[in-house]
Amino acid sequence: MSFQTYADLWRIPDVRRILVLGLFLRIPMPASSVIVTLHVVGPLDRSYAEAGLVSTVLAIAMAISGPWLGRLLDRLGLRRTLLLPLAVLPITWSIAPWVGYLPLIGLIAVAGLFTVPSWSIVRQVVLRSVEPTQRTAALSADAIMTELAFMAGPVVGVLSASYLGTSWAMLVIQWLGIAAAITLWLLNPMITEGEPTVPSDAVPSDSGAPRRRFALPSWVNPGVVLLLAGTFTASLILIAEDLGTVAAMRDFDRTALLGLVMAIWALGSLLGALVYGALNRHPPAAVMLVLLGATTVLTAFAWGPISFAALLLLSGFFCAPTLTAALEAITSRVPSTVRGEVMGWHGSAITLGSALGAPTAGFAIDLIGWEGGFVLGGGLGLLIAAAIWLAVRRMSTPAEASLPPGERSPASAE
């Protein structure tokens, strides 16, 4: 284990600039989530369920936008892709704070469809700027900055809503994000080596052979699909832990400590990303998913707020590393010319996991109690991790069986 890797990364100018800029690009998202909720239940005088509907609409819109904006990044490059969000977002976020509930939903849906693909951009710049041996550490550094953004965002959102009011807070926070996007457009960092190119599967063929109208992209293969499924599962576990934590602190009659407990959970994730990136050998994504699922189930056995916070810290230690391991494995399996689109699908897997996990975990909590969220989330994680492991084993066995005995791996020989 060597933390010197992070110092080496920080000395790379492109990496340093994009990580700092990425922090400012991401903070508006969790900050606005809090502000919009307070705005809907406050000035608009609506219920929390209606506030949740706004969040669901935004999540669906962002899940749609990730792959197609990522594909535009691959085809058109950074500057031309950013022209779309920079044309739409200033209009939508300048109007949204001052309208009623239904127009707000429509404007937020449009804003979600044209969200700046910050995750794809930051990670592509980072991966382009580092050596292959530094890839995992670089993605871990990005995960650390993401955790910082999601720790600072809610605090910024609450403070700005308290001092400015929800309408002005929404406007100011989103315009700060737009300013960061304009800075990104001006800097125009390279996201791949050389100019963006159209993927080979998009080039018309002159061979005369019939082409399928809805052919899958060339990068789609069982390995990538399984890793996206693992990412979806990790996200489902995290939202189950999130809701379970709220329910647990209410059950312990310690609601006032909820913010502190959430910060402890985020700290565990940050420390996990830091350690994972510094390791000389990195456990695969399936192993990390098993550890995340197992420690999530273990948290259900807490007997009080102190033991709960300690077990949540332990589970948090595997949050960011699980997502990082899956992302590193995915990006290593696809060419750089389609990396933007693939990262968009990775983001969509996270968003959809949260969207599906929230009502599922809520049902388990209503049925069993706060423990239900952790048992359901962690249990599903363990089951899907086992399914992924079996699928990978079934795919690898036929390939290895065709090799000469001397070239087979020890695992295949057992």
Side-chain angles (χ1 to χ4, degrees):
M1 182 185 297
S2 174
F3 292 99
Q4 179 63 34
T5 306
Y6 292 111
D8 295 338
L9 289 173
W10 198 251
R11 293 191 188 99
I12 303 173
D14 282 353
V15 172
R16 184 171 62 247
R17 280 194 294 266
I18 199 64
L19 287 178
V20 173
L21 185 57
L23 182 66
F24 289 98
L25 283 167
R26 290 165 178 170
I27 284 178
M29 183 179 297
S32 293
S33 178
V34 173
I35 295 170
V36 169
T37 299
L38 294 174
H39 184 69
V40 171
V41 301
L44 297 185
D45 195 26
R46 298 283 182 148
S47 67
Y48 279 97
E50 289 171 307
L53 178 60
V54 177
S55 299
T56 301
V57 168
L58 178 60
I60 293 172
M62 291 178 63
I64 295 171
S65 75
W68 80 271
L69 284 177
R71 190 171 181 85
L72 287 183
L73 280 172
D74 297 330
R75 291 172 173 268
L76 304 179
L78 186 143
R79 273 195 166 173
R80 285 190 285 177
T81 300
L82 283 183
L83 288 177
L84 277 172
L86 289 177
V88 173
L89 294 180
I91 298 172
T92 54
W93 286 116
S94 294
I95 299 173
W98 318 107
V99 299
Y101 178 71
L102 292 178
L104 177 66
I105 291 180
L107 288 167
I108 282 184
V110 173
L113 288 172
F114 291 91
T115 298
V116 175
S118 57
W119 270 267
S120 292
I121 292 170
V122 171
R123 288 163 179 168
Q124 286 194 87
V125 173
V126 165
L127 292 175
R128 191 267 306 166
S129 305
V130 302
E131 299 294 330
T133 55
Q134 298 175 304
R135 288 165 56 95
T136 303
L139 291 174
S140 295
D142 176 63
I144 292 169
M145 300 301 281
T146 300
E147 291 296 335
L148 290 175
F150 277 81
M151 290 171 70
V155 176
V156 172
V158 171
L159 289 176
S160 59
S162 300
Y163 286 99
L164 301 175
T166 55
S167 295
W168 281 105
M170 195 188 310
L171 181 70
V172 170
I173 291 297
Q174 285 298 330
W175 267 96
L176 288 175
I178 292 168
I182 293 172
T183 303
L184 180 64
W185 186 87
L186 292 172
L187 291 176
N188 191 29
M190 289 178 58
I191 54 178
T192 58
E193 293 294 345
E195 294 297 320
T197 57
V198 177
S200 58
D201 62 330
V203 178
S205 173
D206 296 327
S207 61
R211 299 183 63 212
R212 290 178 295 173
R213 181 173 296 179
F214 301 106
L216 290 173
S218 59
W219 56 265
V220 175
N221 60 68
V224 172
V225 172
L226 287 172
L227 288 165
L228 289 174
T231 301
F232 170 89
T233 306
S235 179
L236 187 149
I237 293 173
L238 297 186
I239 195 64
E241 287 193 281
D242 191 312
L243 296 177
T245 299
V246 174
M249 298 312 292
R250 290 185 64 187
D251 192 66
F252 293 141
D253 197 23
R254 294 290 189 273
T255 307
L257 298 177
L258 178 59
L260 175 61
V261 172
M262 287 289 195
I264 290 172
W265 185 32
L267 176 63
S269 183
L270 188 152
L271 292 174
L274 186 67
V275 172
Y276 187 78
L279 292 175
N280 296 323
R281 297 184 63 183
H282 303 93
V287 172
M288 300 307 300
L289 187 59
V290 168
L291 293 172
L292 177 61
T295 52
T296 299
V297 173
L298 183 63
T299 308
F301 293 92
W303 58 90
I306 295 178
S307 62
F308 180 84
L311 290 172
L312 196 64
L313 175 69
L314 175 63
S315 180
F317 193 80
F318 300 104
C319 292
T322 301
L323 295 172
T324 299
L327 179 61
E328 199 281 330
I330 289 170
T331 55
S332 67
R333 284 167 167 76
V334 300
S336 61
T337 52
V338 297
R339 196 174 281 161
E341 181 182 0
V342 175
M343 287 186 181
W345 281 108
H346 178 265
S348 295
I350 294 175
T351 303
L352 293 174
S354 296
L356 181 62
T360 306
F363 175 77
I365 292 169
D366 290 338
L367 188 66
I368 302 173
W370 68 265
E371 298 92 342
F374 290 90
V375 172
L376 176 73
L380 283 175
L382 290 173
L383 286 174
I384 295 177
I388 292 173
W389 180 79
L390 288 173
V392 170
R393 195 167 174 82
R394 287 175 68 88
M395 286 189 298
S396 61
T397 300
E400 289 199 340
S402 63
L403 296 175
E407 297 182 19
R408 297 180 189 178
S409 67
S412 65
E414 292 178 358

